[in-house]
Amino acid sequence: MTHLFQTPSRRSVLAGGAALGLATMTGLPGLAQTPKRGGSIRIAMAEGSSQDTLNPWTYTDIYMLSVGLATHSTLTEIAADGSLVGDAALSWEGSNGAKTWTFRLRPEVSFSDGRKLTADDVIASIKYHAGEDSGSSMRSTAETIADYRKDGDDTVIFELIGPNADFPYLMADYHFLMLPLEDGQVNWRDYIGTGGYVLTDHDPGVRTLLTRRDDYWKSDRAWFDEIEILYVGDVSARTNALQTGEMDIISRVDLKTINLLERMPNINVVEATGFLHYTFPMNTTAAPFDNKDLRLALKYGINREAMVQTILNGRGAIGNDHPIALKMPYHDGSIEQRAYDPDKAKFHLKKAGYDSIDISCSAADAAFSGAVDATVLYKEHLAPAGINLTVDRRPSDGYWSDVWMKKPFLTSYWGGRPTCDWMFSTGYAADAKWNDTFWQNDRFNELLIKARGELDEALRAEMYGEMQRLVRDDGGALVWGFGNYIFATTNKIAHGPEVASNWELDGGRWAERWWVA
């Protein structure tokens, strides 16, 4: 594959993601086996909602992400070792200073109804996320494409409005699924995909059934005959179902009982360190969070070490109010770590015009396991600063549709975006649909465009460093910790020695990569 604009230094920086894919595993028997076809499995997911739809615009969590990647392809994918590889794309090449990107498609890729994937399908699938009527979180990314062209049925050429050296990475996003073009529009409703499985039953927020395609174009992927995905929001219920063998895989292991699971001979616990981070986002357009000093008071008022030790059971690292993880390319280690300081919190509260203040924070364990406990603990941290926090407990079902980006202060998390541009463009750009703090900073948005096309490594690092500082000191995201993805399986399940960490459960591609031992 051709990757222009990845000089040896840049390639080594991007390859830093490879180390992030390494996982710690217990109960290893079976993981080194040769993959084999067959078997039916059941997986219990911590996330899912009765309001889930099949429209890729709407995917927000691991449940629909998993369904989408099991049934559809993307142009590129993040491999288990963190490298970027082709999925539906055979190769890609940048030119014109990273403004033009040419993708060549694999000729063997076909939809589940037998049709071959063509350049017209690809163009329609990406363009579907652009435009004023788009409800996609990737709308801002799709709108950076100024023009689409094809060169025959197997070549797509994207002309960008500005240079973007990371553009091929963005094509791995789980929203950019390859969809069939029918009568001038993409057809997502019939869920016809190019992936290894077809959807045979879907009850939103309850259950999804997938069956393997006999004609799948990847001979070394999609090993299971049948997969049943269930939403089980209660962590104790998930754990019990795994222990009894009712479930073969569970997401989001309960950190309070993880030591017990690790000692069980029939259970494998897998822990992958990546880009997962936990936040308390504040709506910077809503009072009192529109006051920068009030936001700083809340940031100084949290004991990050206590949060990581108590909520994450020590399996993570403290955050510094920006989303760029320690091992991510362009992480700026020179930025001073913000520490718990009730006196500074009180100082900024006073500067914001308050002697004390009552604030409500919405929380549900749908945000992350222990989110409610984290909010209760945060309440204790804030008290010495004169900030009285009320914990607004919300039901897990519907949390992402009814609470997230609706309430002004809440619990949340972000999964893996392996580049600075991808992370910032998705959650912090002024026009990003998932800008959950509604933050707008002219300097930040100016740097976002400049850094995206900067090919000088040192200058690009400088820009991303300044952007991290802006988010930390002016933004509305209280990023208190980075966590590890931790899931568990019975000995029935096998997988490779590495699992991807850009998303939980092997980057969300477990259905394609794992097999029955």
Side-chain angles (χ1 to χ4, degrees):
M1 285 172 264
T2 304
H3 305 260
L4 293 191
F5 313 111
Q6 292 188 15
T7 63
S9 61
R10 174 157 174 72
R11 186 177 294 114
S12 64
V13 169
L14 294 180
L20 305 182
L22 297 177
T24 300
M25 308 178 195
T26 62
L28 286 174
L31 298 189
Q33 292 180 358
T34 301
K36 61 182 180 181
R37 192 88 58 215
S40 299
I41 63 133
R42 305 180 84 205
I43 178 171
M45 293 282 193
E47 293 180 297
S49 171
S50 58
Q51 300 185 47
D52 284 340
T53 81
L54 298 178
N55 185 344
W57 279 358
T58 65
Y59 300 171
T60 58
D61 57 48
I62 189 62
Y63 190 110
M64 289 309 300
L65 182 158
S66 295
V67 174
L69 293 180
T71 53
H72 294 71
S73 306
T74 49
L75 281 177
T76 60
E77 70 173 282
I78 308 297
D81 66 358
S83 62
L84 188 70
V85 299
D87 191 2
L90 178 66
S91 64
W92 54 92
E93 181 177 356
S95 57
N96 189 26
K99 286 183 66 175
T100 303
W101 287 96
T102 300
F103 287 77
R104 291 176 176 81
L105 307 180
R106 298 183 189 275
E108 66 270 25
V109 182
S110 65
F111 288 100
S112 56
D113 63 358
R115 284 178 286 174
K116 178 184 175 182
L117 176 72
T118 68
D120 288 325
D121 297 312
V122 174
I123 290 172
S125 297
I126 305 301
K127 190 180 288 187
Y128 175 60
H129 296 268
E132 292 183 1
D133 296 332
S134 171
S136 173
S137 67
M138 296 305 287
R139 171 183 165 182
S140 59
T141 296
E143 288 181 340
T144 65
I145 303 172
D147 187 41
Y148 302 78
R149 301 197 311 274
K150 67 174 185 175
D151 184 3
D153 283 342
D154 64 350
T155 302
V156 178
I157 303 167
F158 300 99
E159 294 286 352
L160 310 184
I161 60 176
N164 189 344
D166 290 342
F167 184 74
Y169 277 87
L170 300 175
M171 293 298 100
D173 188 272
Y174 61 91
H175 297 91
F176 287 146
L177 304 180
M178 296 297 100
L179 305 169
L181 178 64
E182 296 178 0
D183 300 324
Q185 294 183 328
V186 295
N187 176 8
W188 57 263
R189 290 176 175 82
D190 293 332
Y191 227 58
I192 299 167
T194 55
Y197 298 87
V198 293
L199 185 148
T200 55
D201 186 55
H202 180 61
D203 187 358
V206 180
R207 170 184 182 267
T208 301
L209 188 65
L210 305 174
T211 304
R212 188 185 185 277
R213 286 176 55 183
D214 292 333
D215 63 341
Y216 186 38
W217 53 277
K218 289 183 184 178
S219 61
D220 62 344
R221 292 290 187 272
W223 305 102
F224 304 121
D225 288 334
E226 191 173 79
I227 297 171
E228 186 177 12
I229 305 173
L230 295 103
Y231 166 54
V232 182
D234 183 79
V235 66
S236 296
R238 288 198 306 277
T239 304
N240 290 336
L242 182 75
Q243 291 173 323
T244 61
E246 184 181 355
M247 293 294 161
D248 304 301
I249 308 166
I250 64 169
S251 70
R252 294 197 187 177
V253 168
D254 186 353
L255 297 180
K256 297 174 184 176
T257 62
I258 190 171
N259 293 332
L260 173 64
L261 282 181
E262 288 176 330
R263 291 195 296 268
M264 298 184 69
N266 63 321
I267 301 295
N268 301 318
V269 176
V270 183
E271 185 167 356
T273 301
F275 320 116
L276 169 68
H277 55 279
Y278 304 104
T279 72
F280 286 100
M282 302 169 248
N283 184 338
T284 57
T285 67
F289 309 104
D290 55 350
N291 186 300
K292 175 182 174 181
D293 281 292
L294 188 280
R295 299 196 295 269
L296 285 171
L298 290 170
K299 292 175 181 179
Y300 278 112
I302 190 166
N303 188 327
R304 299 160 201 270
E305 290 84 356
M307 294 290 277
V308 169
Q309 291 302 318
T310 304
I311 305 302
L312 303 184
N313 202 27
R315 295 174 184 255
I318 60 173
N320 200 19
D321 298 329
H322 67 76
I324 307 307
L326 179 64
K327 293 185 179 179
M328 275 182 70
Y330 305 113
H331 170 88
D332 189 342
S334 69
I335 300 176
E336 182 183 0
Q337 174 63 54
R338 181 165 284 139
Y340 179 48
D341 193 330
D343 289 334
K344 279 190 178 180
K346 191 177 297 185
F347 167 80
H348 284 286
L349 184 67
K350 184 74 172 178
K351 197 174 176 183
Y354 303 94
D355 292 321
S356 65
I357 190 171
D358 297 329
I359 290 176
S360 176
C361 181
S362 302
D365 282 353
F368 54 87
S369 296
V372 174
D373 290 342
T375 313
V376 172
L377 184 59
Y378 186 24
K379 172 185 173 73
E380 296 174 7
H381 298 166
L382 288 171
I387 301 173
N388 306 309
L389 185 70
T390 298
V391 182
D392 174 28
R393 298 171 188 256
R394 293 281 173 160
S396 288
D397 187 37
Y399 184 79
W400 298 109
S401 57
D402 300 335
V403 179
W404 183 62
M405 297 192 71
K406 301 288 196 307
K407 296 296 181 179
F409 192 36
L410 64 150
T411 56
S412 188
Y413 85 103
W414 280 88
R417 273 77 179 176
T419 72
C420 287
D421 179 70
W422 194 348
M423 186 67 248
F424 284 144
S425 297
T426 304
Y428 293 83
D431 59 351
K433 183 176 175 60
W434 282 2
N435 178 356
D436 60 4
T437 61
F438 302 88
W439 181 60
Q440 296 195 33
N441 182 290
D442 290 342
R443 176 59 177 167
F444 175 89
N445 289 294
E446 175 189 354
L447 287 168
L448 182 64
I449 302 301
K450 288 183 177 180
R452 184 177 292 157
E454 180 55 63
L455 304 182
D456 183 288
E457 291 294 320
L459 288 177
R460 202 175 196 213
E462 205 173 285
M463 292 178 188
Y464 283 133
E466 183 178 349
M467 292 166 73
Q468 289 165 60
R469 286 177 167 83
L470 287 169
V471 171
R472 173 187 182 269
D473 297 332
D474 184 63
L478 194 168
V479 183
W480 61 264
F482 288 82
N484 299 337
Y485 287 125
I486 307 176
F487 62 87
T489 76
T490 66
N491 280 343
K492 177 180 177 180
I493 303 298
H495 51 74
E498 293 181 70
V499 293
S501 59
N502 55 303
W503 267 100
E504 57 187 309
L505 294 169
D506 212 350
R509 293 182 179 268
W510 57 273
E512 180 169 282
R513 295 174 179 171
W514 301 357
W515 64 94
V516 171

